[in-house]
Amino acid sequence: METSKKEENHIKITWLNRYRKAVREEQLILDEIQRLRESRMFPSLVLDGMPHGSDHSDLSVYAVMVDEQMEKLKEWQLEKVRLYESISDRIRRVEDDNQRALLICRYIKGMSWEDIAAKLEYTWRHVHRIHSQALDGIDLKDVIECHSKSVI
């Protein structure tokens, strides 16, 4: 089934918008990993706070659970890094300097259309023309391949 240009552009924009989301999620994951590391160094702050005498099994079970959670978080973090690196790489491969600058401003820096127009010294309307051209330059096959790699 053939997709329309509007549908293709929507898919591309949705994929490009995932860059900043992936960066934010990676930071949240890093924060959680840091919290787990701290809880591992000071488990009594996380556990019930009551002394357990010489029973170390509570701490060893807790340490194993923390390690497992940290491994899951690291895998999740790696997925996010792969996603935003694939988006960044695809943007870097755009040959036209103006198109590439616009894509960086919009999808990596998260700038508004008005701010992009001011920064690139174009009219708002011309910025949208450049954006449309930039989207045309992104092969949908590339987007689908990058998207499927990030989901795996």
Side-chain angles (χ1 to χ4, degrees):
M1 184 172 133
E2 192 73 24
T3 58
S4 70
K5 181 177 176 177
K6 187 175 181 177
E7 291 170 331
E8 284 183 16
N9 284 348
H10 176 73
I11 292 168
K12 292 173 186 179
I13 290 169
T14 300
W15 180 73
L16 289 166
N17 277 324
R18 292 180 66 194
Y19 179 92
R20 292 178 48 78
K21 292 176 186 174
V23 170
R24 277 193 306 268
E25 286 180 0
E26 182 200 14
Q27 187 56 55
L28 292 172
I29 293 166
L30 290 172
D31 292 346
E32 181 64 10
I33 289 171
Q34 182 60 33
R35 187 189 69 76
L36 288 172
R37 284 184 179 141
E38 290 170 1
S39 72
R40 196 163 172 223
M41 290 185 337
F42 307 106
S44 62
L45 298 176
V46 178
L47 298 174
D48 63 4
M50 300 300 292
H52 294 281
S54 63
D55 185 9
H56 296 288
S57 65
D58 287 344
L59 292 178
S60 62
V61 169
Y62 177 75
V64 169
M65 289 173 52
V66 168
D67 288 344
E68 288 172 358
Q69 184 62 27
M70 284 178 60
E71 284 305 311
K72 288 177 187 176
L73 287 169
K74 287 177 183 178
E75 289 172 18
W76 190 24
Q77 176 196 13
L78 185 58
E79 289 174 21
K80 300 304 171 189
V81 169
R82 284 184 180 140
L83 173 60
Y84 72 70
E85 284 182 348
S86 69
I87 294 170
S88 178
D89 179 61
R90 188 60 193 97
I91 289 173
R92 280 193 303 269
R93 287 191 279 149
V94 171
E95 291 181 20
D96 184 271
D97 294 340
N98 292 328
Q99 292 175 9
R100 188 175 50 255
L102 184 143
L103 293 173
I104 289 169
C105 289
R106 181 66 179 176
Y107 298 106
I108 293 180
K109 294 183 177 183
M111 294 171 64
S112 70
W113 293 115
E114 293 79 11
D115 291 342
I116 295 170
K119 183 170 183 73
L120 299 180
E121 299 178 354
Y122 291 124
T123 64
W124 185 84
R125 185 175 179 96
H126 191 64
V127 164
H128 283 281
R129 275 191 223 112
I130 294 171
H131 181 253
S132 180
Q133 293 166 353
L135 290 177
D136 288 344
I138 295 175
D139 184 18
L140 190 60
K141 182 181 175 188
D142 284 347
V143 171
I144 292 169
E145 285 177 10
C146 291
H147 175 72
S148 65
K149 286 179 186 175
S150 69
V151 172
I152 295 174

